[in-house]
Amino acid sequence: MSKLELRTEGDLHVVVTRRFAAPPEAIYRAHTEAAILQKWLLGPDGWTMPVCISEAWPGGRIRYEWSDGKGAGFYLTGEYKVLEPFSRIVHVERMHLPDATPDNEVETRFEADGTGTLMVMRMTLPDGKTREAMLATGMEYGMEASYARLEGCLE
Amino acid sequence: MNLDSRFAALSDPTRRAILARLALGEATVMELAEPFPMSQPAVSRHLRVLEEAGLITRRVEGAKRPCRLAPEGLTELEQWLGKLRVALEANYARLDAILAEEKENL
């Protein structure tokens, strides 16, 4: 069973809920420390994040650069607004495709849940034009590789 | 048709796999059940959920009721959200592996 829940909230927001088998401190660090982010925030197999700047203080910069190792890539910039270790992060981000998408404000909460963590992430739903631009990156947020794996399972 | 019932229908990996199979063309319950370690009645229950969510349609052909994707089943927004879900799942699965590794090293 999938542990991830994704629902829309009105026309403007997407709320993602996920449980992790580690305490909030570990999940918070995985979302703010560059060396850990570079290991998992990658999208499809084969993509890497050669540049990761995460200045985890209010007003601090965020910059993630992804590469497929074959010359394709794009980047995201943003700023931290609120950091409450180890329970809450508010930041804004925009993707450069290469034009900047509208700012997306993201609130991420981490709550102790037994010995693990319940994460609730609330983000702005991009408009149709932005979604199209995101799909056109070729990275497509990591789904093609996963769909290929799914199809592999059916053969 | 509201998004919530669509997402409830899409939240199950078996149902997503059934939709992936139907993307290749129409199929009978028997054909759909074949790759899964479950009974035909269990697959039929999944098909009922997908049908009620407006994601598939079924027609009658003798004793068979072949299924196909509903052409208007998924809007562009729903497809995008579905792809976002798969992308997030891939990332968080990687994070799970890192957390498990750290635990072992403690």
Side-chain angles (χ1 to χ4, degrees), chain A residues 129-151:
Chain A
K129 201 178 143 208
T130 306
R131 292 196 297 268
E132 218 173 272
M134 289 165 83
L135 293 180
T137 59
M139 183 171 181
E140 300 194 349
Y141 255 96
M143 43 297 184
E144 285 314 321
S146 301
Y147 280 150
R149 279 195 292 273
L150 177 62
E151 280 160 16

Side-chain angles (χ1 to χ4, degrees), chain A residues 80-144:
Chain A
Y80 284 109
K81 296 177 86 170
V82 182
L83 289 141
E84 296 171 14
F86 301 103
S87 59
R88 183 169 172 252
I89 302 167
V90 180
H91 76 275
V92 288
E93 63 178 39
R94 60 204 75 84
M95 297 177 91
H96 301 262
L97 301 169
D99 296 336
T101 60
D103 277 8
N104 174 11
E105 181 167 300
V106 184
E107 180 189 43
T108 314
R109 290 176 173 274
F110 309 100
E111 266 175 50
D113 178 38
T115 56
T117 300
L118 173 66
M119 182 195 80
V120 180
M121 180 170 72
R122 184 172 184 271
M123 56 189 177
T124 312
L125 180 66
D127 60 27
K129 201 178 143 208
T130 306
R131 292 196 297 268
E132 218 173 272
M134 289 165 83
L135 293 180
T137 59
M139 183 171 181
E140 300 194 349
Y141 255 96
M143 43 297 184
E144 285 314 321

Side-chain angles (χ1 to χ4, degrees), chain B residues 73-88:
Chain B
L74 286 177
T75 64
E76 179 275 333
L77 171 61
E78 288 163 325
Q79 288 179 32
W80 188 85
L81 289 167
K83 289 180 174 185
L84 174 65
R85 162 194 285 281
V86 173
L88 292 171

Side-chain angles (χ1 to χ4, degrees), chain A:
Chain A
M1 199 184 91
S2 169
K3 289 184 277 187
L4 183 124
E5 283 173 35
L6 187 150
R7 62 183 170 84
T8 50
E9 192 181 88
D11 295 332
L12 287 176
H13 294 98
V14 181
V15 179
V16 177
T17 309
R18 176 66 152 77
R19 282 181 172 73
F20 294 97
E25 179 173 351
I27 311 305
Y28 179 94
R29 288 181 46 217
H31 279 77
T32 49
E33 293 183 15
I36 310 177
L37 282 164
Q38 282 176 298
K39 289 182 188 164
W40 70 270
L41 196 65
L42 299 176
D45 291 345
W47 283 73
T48 59
M49 194 200 287
V51 175
C52 181
I53 297 169
S54 173
E55 299 175 343
W57 55 81
R61 285 180 307 147
I62 296 168
R63 185 181 174 101
Y64 306 148
E65 293 184 19
W66 289 280
S67 162
D68 73 347
K70 294 176 231 155
F74 62 94
Y75 65 102
L76 173 153
T77 60
E79 294 82 39
Y80 284 109
K81 296 177 86 170
V82 182
L83 289 141
E84 296 171 14
F86 301 103
S87 59
R88 183 169 172 252
I89 302 167
V90 180
H91 76 275
V92 288
E93 63 178 39
R94 60 204 75 84
M95 297 177 91
H96 301 262
L97 301 169
D99 296 336
T101 60
D103 277 8
N104 174 11
E105 181 167 300
V106 184
E107 180 189 43
T108 314
R109 290 176 173 274
F110 309 100
E111 266 175 50
D113 178 38
T115 56
T117 300
L118 173 66
M119 182 195 80
V120 180
M121 180 170 72
R122 184 172 184 271
M123 56 189 177
T124 312
L125 180 66
D127 60 27
K129 201 178 143 208
T130 306
R131 292 196 297 268
E132 218 173 272
M134 289 165 83
L135 293 180
T137 59
M139 183 171 181
E140 300 194 349
Y141 255 96
M143 43 297 184
E144 285 314 321
S146 301
Y147 280 150
R149 279 195 292 273
L150 177 62
E151 280 160 16
C153 294
L154 295 172
E155 279 163 14

